[in-house]
Amino acid sequence: MAAKQKFYLTTPLYYVNAAPHLGHAYSTIVADVLRRFKRMQGFDAFLLTGNDEHGQNIERIARERGIAPKQHCDELSAQFRSLWQRLGIQYDAFIRTTDDVHKLAVLELWSRLTKATAPNGEPAIYRGKYSGWYCPRCEEFKDEAGMREPDHQCIVHEQPCQWTEEENLFFRLSAYQQTLLDYYEQHPEFIRPESRRNEVVSFVRGGLRDLSISRTTIQWGIPVPKWTGEGGSAAEHVFYVWLDALTGYLSGIGFGQEGAAAEQFQKLWPADLHIVGKEIVRFHAVYWPAFLLAAELPLPRGIYAHGWLLFEEG
């Protein structure tokens, strides 16, 4: 009897800055329905969900609550799992970025990135300095399109961004601009719906800047190993939360592990579908495929970015 064809789909790894809300349920219910439908079609469907638990935002919230960051994460992650149980969500794996197996995956990806050569022939990773307007809630440096003047307010969270200057490790994202554009053209099904695909293509055509992938101003994250590449050691750095979080799609199915877990990864990767909200499509459709290309890992087959549920225009 022939083995069933696999179908690996994911929700975002939900950030534990606050209790789960209707938007989280929206993405997860859609994923649950797809998993059930694919199983009815005869696929070996596998659904991954989980929580993104590192970064400046979590560090700040835990400090304001007067508790350790891990305690805050434990409490919020339990709320997510309780909600999925109440809603009857049937997932196959739940990954937390504070899990030990996740750290193994991040370190394996990092090892590959430090050995990678970008399309322009230069190392994919280098050390440099960065300054710009940073939204701590998005965990992202913002350009003019991502802010409202005159107070440099983030258009997503409607909070003022902070001027930030740091010495960080960088991923040479700019060198992948044409590679990504070529891939979008050759695989029009990669980003859906078309409106989001057009948005991403326009963004990449406008020019990509190299991406800061470490932080020195926070401690709540996975430490970057001592690095002897261009610029020397990075022992005081922690990984940028988005490099950390995106790796959850790999760590949750066995990447960086051995034995049965490694076999599961070989069976399931690449993902057949990432389901995300429209506000994080750039991270998934630009940064994520560039990381995977550098690490010589297959790209996901599709990303679907849905819209928001709005209440009284908010």
Side-chain angles (χ1 to χ4, degrees):
M1 184 176 179
K4 292 182 179 180
Q5 184 179 349
K6 67 92 178 177
F7 189 87
Y8 174 40
L9 73 155
T10 71
T11 72
L13 300 192
Y14 301 116
Y15 205 38
V16 292
N17 59 325
H21 55 65
L22 191 59
H24 300 125
Y26 180 13
S27 299
T28 311
I29 290 171
V30 168
D32 178 73
V33 169
L34 278 172
R35 175 189 179 275
R36 294 169 189 262
F37 177 67
K38 284 297 182 181
R39 289 204 165 195
M40 290 172 62
Q41 287 185 312
F43 285 82
D44 184 6
F46 188 102
L47 171 59
L48 171 85
T49 189
N51 288 127
D52 172 9
E53 302 184 8
H54 288 134
Q56 182 178 357
N57 231 1
I58 304 304
E59 192 175 63
R60 173 186 61 81
I61 293 168
R63 183 171 59 249
E64 291 172 352
R65 294 185 63 198
I67 62 175
K70 185 59 163 61
Q71 181 182 343
H72 169 83
C73 294
D74 289 345
E75 292 175 4
L76 270 291
S77 183
Q79 290 185 35
F80 276 89
R81 283 174 289 171
S82 176
L83 178 59
W84 303 155
Q85 184 177 12
R86 289 170 58 193
L87 292 176
I89 302 297
Q90 296 180 2
Y91 55 82
D92 301 286
F94 191 103
I95 189 70
R96 299 175 59 186
T97 60
T98 51
D99 289 342
D100 289 341
V101 293
H102 178 74
K103 181 178 179 180
L104 290 175
V106 170
L107 295 178
E108 174 61 26
L109 181 66
W110 172 247
S111 176
R112 295 185 182 212
L113 293 179
T114 58
K115 298 170 186 173
T117 300
N120 65 356
E122 297 183 278
I125 303 295
Y126 67 95
R127 193 182 187 109
K129 293 184 178 180
Y130 193 92
S131 60
W133 292 102
Y134 185 76
C135 173
R137 289 166 175 78
C138 289
E139 302 272 6
E140 179 188 24
F141 283 98
K142 295 287 184 175
D143 56 19
E144 292 181 0
M147 299 184 295
R148 294 194 183 97
E149 299 294 352
D151 59 353
H152 306 287
Q153 191 175 81
C154 170
I155 62 171
V156 176
H157 290 98
E158 299 183 347
Q159 296 289 329
C161 297
Q162 303 169 356
W163 181 260
T164 303
E165 297 183 10
E166 289 184 14
E167 181 183 80
N168 297 329
L169 296 173
F170 284 78
F171 175 71
R172 210 175 295 275
L173 182 65
S174 60
Y176 290 84
Q177 179 172 332
Q178 192 57 49
T179 304
L180 289 170
L181 289 172
D182 291 344
Y183 191 84
Y184 302 150
E185 183 176 356
Q186 295 162 11
H187 301 86
E189 75 289 350
F190 180 62
I191 307 168
R192 290 172 288 170
E194 187 177 358
S195 59
R196 299 298 164 217
R197 180 179 181 276
N198 292 340
E199 173 188 324
V200 169
V201 170
S202 177
F203 171 74
V204 176
R205 281 178 178 162
L208 294 178
R209 295 187 298 178
D210 290 348
L211 181 67
S212 170
I213 57 168
S214 73
R215 294 288 182 268
T216 58
T217 55
I218 63 172
Q219 295 180 327
W220 183 239
I222 297 174
V224 178
K226 186 175 181 180
W227 184 56
T228 57
E230 183 180 339
S233 171
E236 73 280 13
H237 293 236
V238 298
F239 285 108
Y240 172 45
V241 66
W242 274 104
L243 175 64
D244 178 357
L246 290 164
T247 309
Y249 301 135
L250 306 175
S251 65
I253 57 171
F255 181 72
Q257 299 177 58
E258 299 178 349
E263 292 176 6
Q264 181 183 58
F265 174 75
Q266 292 298 325
K267 172 188 172 183
L268 292 175
W269 192 260
D272 294 276
L273 184 63
H274 290 318
I275 297 172
V276 302
K278 68 176 184 177
E279 76 280 6
I280 55 175
V281 65
R282 183 183 304 179
F283 302 101
H284 287 79
V286 182
Y287 304 163
W288 184 223
F291 293 153
L292 292 170
L293 287 167
E296 298 184 351
L297 288 167
L299 271 56
R301 295 194 172 101
I303 298 164
Y304 193 94
H306 63 71
W308 293 342
L309 296 172
L310 299 178
F311 297 87
E312 296 181 352
E313 300 181 359

